[in-house]
Amino acid sequence: EIMLTQSPGTLSLSPGERATLSCRASQSVTSSLLAWYQQKPGQAPRLLIYGASSRATGIPDRFSGSGSGTDFTLTINRLEPEDFAVYYCHQYASSPITFGQGTRLEIK
Amino acid sequence: QVQLVQSGAEVKKPGASVKVSCKASGYTFTDYYIHWVRQAPGQGLEWMGWIDPNSGVTYYAQKFQDRVTLTRDTSISTAYMEMSRLTSDDTAVYYCAAVGAIIAWGQGTLVTVSS
């Protein structure tokens, strides 16, 4: 089972700043089959990035994903008020699929 | 567009069973595995298992192996998750997700277990 560790647990930033979220895998994620989600209270996870770096439909270009192997990053440029939420990474390269524990992005 | 629509919220008593449905549209149902994931209040995402809609083959997380049954009905492009012997620890939102070349999630189904 591939374990995913996200850091930091909580990130406190101001609107307009850049957020950098990390996701480290316990073993290589084949074909970079890694996704990122945003989740707000009472809502289902919203797909932001798939295949490590491809934006899902309708996702603003201030969201970008990068990385390969065991280290992946979600970058959010010019934070908007609606970006403050919990973010999860998810590997779907091997069964069982697994999720990181989440990074909470809060307003400073 | 690709869409997964789940059945509505359920309230169950401890020891009962629940069955949640997940209807797919906008793609060929048999092309992608359907995964089930749950999220307890204030907690993260927990994978439960998957079903291959094409063959009906299933694979479960060890934690759920003896209490969860995943099935599908290809004639109506619908997957099901049934969980037995419910306890209060099973109170959570249950999601289905199609994962492969596409990724799509259902809206979630809240299952509340309370006496």
Side-chain angles (χ1 to χ4, degrees):
Chain A
E1 174 174 330
I2 298 179
M3 304 270 298
L4 298 178
T5 302
Q6 292 186 239
S7 60
T10 302
L11 186 56
S12 299
L13 294 170
S14 300
E17 294 190 294
R18 172 186 296 175
T20 303
L21 287 66
S22 174
C23 177
R24 178 161 290 178
S26 60
Q27 53 190 282
S28 183
V29 178
T30 312
S31 302
S32 295
L33 294 179
L34 185 118
W36 289 92
Y37 299 90
Q38 176 193 72
Q39 189 176 37
K40 295 180 180 179
Q43 297 183 16
R46 175 195 182 197
L47 179 66
L48 301 173
I49 301 288
Y50 63 95
S53 60
S54 298
R55 268 188 302 277
T57 303
I59 302 302
D61 62 6
R62 64 178 184 275
F63 290 90
S64 63
S66 63
S68 64
T70 60
D71 287 295
F72 298 88
T73 301
L74 174 69
T75 302
I76 313 170
N77 290 310
R78 304 179 306 280
L79 283 167
E80 299 282 346
E82 63 267 27
D83 297 338
F84 292 90
V86 178
Y87 292 82
Y88 293 97
C89 59
H90 162 212
Q91 71 79 20
Y92 52 105
S94 68
S95 199
I97 63 170
T98 50
F99 300 89
Q101 81 280 16
T103 290
R104 179 176 304 277
L105 177 57
E106 64 176 28
I107 299 177
K108 188 174 183 179
Chain B
Q1 76 280 23
V2 174
Q3 200 171 10
L4 299 177
V5 177
Q6 298 182 222
S7 49
E10 303 264 12
V11 179
K12 295 292 182 180
K13 292 196 183 301
S17 297
V18 68
K19 190 170 187 176
V20 178
S21 68
C22 169
K23 181 171 178 60
S25 61
Y27 73 100
T28 302
F29 178 61
T30 51
D31 278 355
Y32 304 108
Y33 287 15
I34 296 287
H35 297 254
W36 290 85
V37 176
R38 77 177 185 179
Q39 187 171 38
Q43 301 300 308
L45 300 165
E46 181 177 30
W47 178 77
M48 301 174 64
W50 56 251
I51 183 166
D52 177 354
N54 188 43
S55 64
V57 171
T58 55
Y59 182 65
Y60 301 97
Q62 191 168 12
K63 174 177 181 177
F64 298 105
Q65 210 151 21
D66 62 345
R67 287 201 303 135
V68 170
T69 302
L70 303 181
T71 56
R72 92 294 191 214
D73 183 341
T74 55
S75 69
I76 55 172
S77 300
T78 300
Y80 302 92
M81 186 284 297
E82 184 169 21
M83 181 179 281
S84 62
R85 303 193 306 276
L86 292 167
T87 72
S88 57
D89 290 341
D90 296 316
T91 294
V93 177
Y94 289 76
Y95 296 101
C96 61
V99 178
I102 63 162
I103 299 178
W105 288 58
Q107 82 277 18
T109 296
L110 174 63
V111 175
T112 303
V113 183
S114 174
S115 54

